[in-house]
Amino acid sequence: MIYQILALRLRWYGEATAQLLLRRWQAVLLLVGVLGGSLLVESSHWVLVLLNDQHGMVWRLGVIGLWQGCWFLWVLMQFDQLRGGRFRDFAQSLPLSPQHWRTIDLLVLLVSDTPLFLPFVAAAFILGSHQELSWDALTGGLLIVFLLSTQLACQLAVLGGSTRALISMVFVDGWVAYALSLDDPMRSGMLAMAAIAGLWALVSPLPALLLRAVALPRPVQEIWLLLTRHLFSRLPPLTRLSLGILYRQHRSSMLGKLFNCLLILVTAEGLMSIWRYDGRSLPMALIAAGLVALSASGLFRHLKMAHDDALPFTAALPMPRRWALLGDTLAVLSFGLPFVLAMACTLWDHAGLSALRIVGFVASFALLVLLLHLPQLLSNRNAVMNSSLIATLWTFGVASIL
């Protein structure tokens, strides 16, 4: 029976994500065809960079957490398709043990995660071709096993609805980040223990220990709730409505876009620091702000769908024609502005830009988000192309002015 359930789950996932799978593999084949052998070296960098002795424990811990967060969000973006949707609701009544369901979930995840395996396959290939039997090769292999097993364990926790247990993963990540700073054979021994723990997490659910110890004290939680309620009570009702739609009903989408914007911000900050904040910093910040605006503008569609669902009620109210535009724009700006303000502070502190140019930089981002409201709502098929064209022309125009 388990094989029949697995076949049906894979068929459900394939039919539910047929277009997504086609676009995903088209992108992978395009990259492989264009970049060729250099793709192996480039894609393996963020795996093998953990073995570099120049980085400290905190930096390594951040990279490990970034990998696990990427795989975590990969499941959130296609949660219903991976879990089985309506078929899962029916199959839960069948006489299968939790271990059988865990095995089926793991096999479905292995199919859905195939593009994410590329950096790790490339890293294993480079380690095998450049390193003979040595401590470095053993350390790299154990690191790859640990990363893959813990990332799959995070995805299994998401499918099982036990995401709070992921806090126990932080201690294992800290163990590995510390072990990578040691010398062999101690480093390989500690990594072997972590790899075994990661493989065990694939078989058994993650323990939900120490949650009470790390939870915020009750007075702190009450003060936080009081402050947030006081702040939201002063906002206009339409703005509160848009914020509630985004941050309560679309949390998985918000997390995915948060991860994308963090990657954009870290990449831009890293390039500006490599260039020592010379004249290329402002154009780089403008490009990064355009990418953040593109990512954030996708939230307009979630807001529009919510307004369309409520149209039978709101149509009977004496509301202006574009009553939701201001609230929706402010809600989307509240998501994207922190990333742009972080880049603005960097330009002010390190690049020495004037206050007028900093204000122009932030204002150009706000106006671009407002402009991207139209292509996101007018055309579903060509929204990405039109938004990218507008963002490119706007960024080029602002760069020529500033």
Side-chain angles (χ1 to χ4, degrees), residues 17 40 89 94 241 276 282 300:
T17 60
L40 292 177
D89 299 333
L94 299 177
L241 175 64
R276 298 185 183 277
L282 180 58
F300 281 118

Side-chain angles (χ1 to χ4, degrees), residues 17 24 39 48 52 87 91 107 124 128 158 176 192 209 237-238 241 247 282 288 292 308 321 331 354 381:
T17 60
R24 182 187 300 168
L39 180 63
L48 300 179
N52 196 334
F87 172 73
L107 293 175
V158 176
V176 173
L209 301 177
L238 296 180
L241 175 64
Y247 292 96
L282 180 58
V292 171
D308 289 343
R321 183 179 179 182
S354 62
R381 178 177 299 179

